[in-house]
Amino acid sequence: MSALANHSFVKMNGIGNEIVVLDLRDSAGSVSADEARAIAAPAGVPYDQLMVLMKPQLAGTEAFIRIYNNDGSEAAACGNGMRCVARRTFEATGKTALTFQTKAGLLNCWQGPEADTYTVDMGPPRLGWKDIPLAEEFRDTRAIELQIGPIDAPVLHTPSVVSMGNPHAVFWVDDVNAHDLGRFGPLLENHPIFPERANITLAHIVDREHIVIRTWERGAGLTRACGSAACATAVAAARLRRANRKVRITLPGGDLVIEWRESDDHVLMTGAADFEFEGKFDPALFTRA
């Protein structure tokens, strides 16, 4: 029987990004890919990302966070999920600032400037083609040669690429709802140019302080919100000098404020994190897995 049988969990969301928070800091166990998929099944607790708190590996950190997509693959970063973890941990400890360790590095989180908002320091973006990573060299990652559709009339083309601990491709469009992202997303996510796959975002720049996006999330599919995609989009727009370094990003699930801080190159993400319910995993989920 899985050690997760009857284990408690918390269901939350970050502006519509469906998150399950699982605290294993008092356990020697971990989560397998099969177990992550079982939890995400319709009979389980469907999610976009599963945030698993493990025992801290470094002094001064609250936990080591493992992040799973609903297909069982692991992600290095999830901004919306980190806000949910921050809120839950703040409420449990009474603290208003904490540091967590992830595969993407150390992430500092603190209470946001308004009630029920939380800020995550996502660290500096990675902009070199090897760091994103891409399968071949592009000296200027503000716009790479990639398109979907006929050569003389591509449907989507020339994305900006950025890593926020996970790879992102941002396609600039006039209307984020005018394209079938559910169709093009899987093709682009798995394009050979992305050896580790990629998150695919459609972005429309409203003005220098406001951008609207939709994202096909690597390993999760269409999502109402992707915090790292919002960060990547803000960075990409600023690099193209089409937006300020602090912008409001509107996603289907709500708004995030993203600031690419000039003083240290770090990207700060601020937004809400909402509690939905608590529960315990049905042992039958893992029997079927």
Side-chain angles (χ1 to χ4, degrees):
M1 178 64 68
S2 167
L4 298 182
N6 293 311
H7 200 291
S8 59
F9 67 87
V10 180
K11 176 67 173 58
M12 304 182 73
N13 79 80
I15 62 166
N17 197 175
E18 301 298 336
I19 303 295
V20 170
V21 179
L22 172 60
D23 192 343
L24 295 183
R25 285 177 292 179
D26 293 331
S27 168
S30 59
V31 177
S32 69
D34 285 343
E35 288 171 327
R37 285 190 290 269
I39 293 169
V45 192
Y47 63 81
D48 295 317
Q49 273 75 40
L50 170 66
M51 311 293 291
V52 183
L53 282 69
M54 311 289 290
K55 292 178 181 178
Q57 298 179 358
L58 294 175
T61 61
E62 191 71 14
F64 179 82
I65 310 293
R66 292 183 68 179
I67 305 168
Y68 293 85
N69 299 311
N70 58 28
D71 68 353
S73 63
E74 284 199 59
C78 176
N80 288 322
M82 285 307 306
R83 291 202 317 283
C84 292
V85 168
R87 172 179 172 173
R88 190 68 180 172
T89 312
F90 290 166
E91 291 173 344
T93 64
K95 297 179 180 178
T96 57
L98 289 168
T99 300
F100 297 91
Q101 183 185 6
T102 72
K103 288 188 175 182
L106 297 181
L107 296 182
N108 295 313
C109 305
W110 58 89
Q111 196 75 44
E114 299 174 359
D116 298 324
T117 64
Y118 307 86
T119 298
V120 179
D121 181 345
M122 298 289 287
R126 300 169 189 171
L127 306 174
W129 70 275
K130 289 183 179 180
D131 299 319
I132 290 170
L134 302 177
E136 61 184 81
E137 180 178 1
F138 286 90
R139 293 186 178 181
D140 188 352
T141 55
R142 292 176 299 178
I144 69 168
E145 296 175 14
L146 176 64
Q147 66 180 44
I148 288 286
I151 294 177
D152 56 346
V155 178
L156 298 171
H157 64 89
T158 325
S160 301
V161 287
V162 178
S163 173
M164 289 303 311
N166 48 8
H168 290 268
V170 181
F171 290 85
W172 308 104
V173 299
D174 293 330
D175 182 354
V176 299
N177 295 307
H179 302 275
D180 190 351
L181 189 56
R183 175 187 172 195
F184 296 128
L187 299 174
L188 290 163
E189 173 194 352
N190 294 285
H191 192 282
I193 195 64
F194 303 118
E196 297 181 5
R197 299 186 294 164
N199 298 276
I200 307 301
T201 293
L202 305 181
H204 168 62
I205 297 177
V206 179
D207 56 45
R208 295 192 63 83
E209 297 181 344
H210 185 205
I211 303 173
V212 177
I213 71 172
R214 288 177 65 218
T215 297
W216 173 273
E217 197 162 1
R218 179 185 65 166
L222 284 174
T223 179
R224 289 180 56 76
C226 177
S228 60
C231 295
T233 300
V235 169
R239 292 184 76 205
L240 290 169
R241 302 183 185 278
R242 298 183 62 189
N244 298 335
R245 293 180 74 103
K246 184 174 182 178
V247 294
R248 175 168 60 98
I249 305 286
T250 296
L251 307 93
D255 287 0
L256 293 172
V257 174
I258 309 297
E259 179 182 2
W260 185 15
R261 197 161 56 188
E262 195 164 8
S263 61
D264 61 2
D265 200 39
H266 283 217
V267 180
L268 309 183
M269 177 190 57
T270 300
D274 295 322
F275 171 85
E276 294 185 9
F277 61 87
E278 297 182 58
K280 292 187 176 181
F281 293 128
D282 184 346
L285 286 175
F286 308 107
T287 301
R288 287 191 290 268

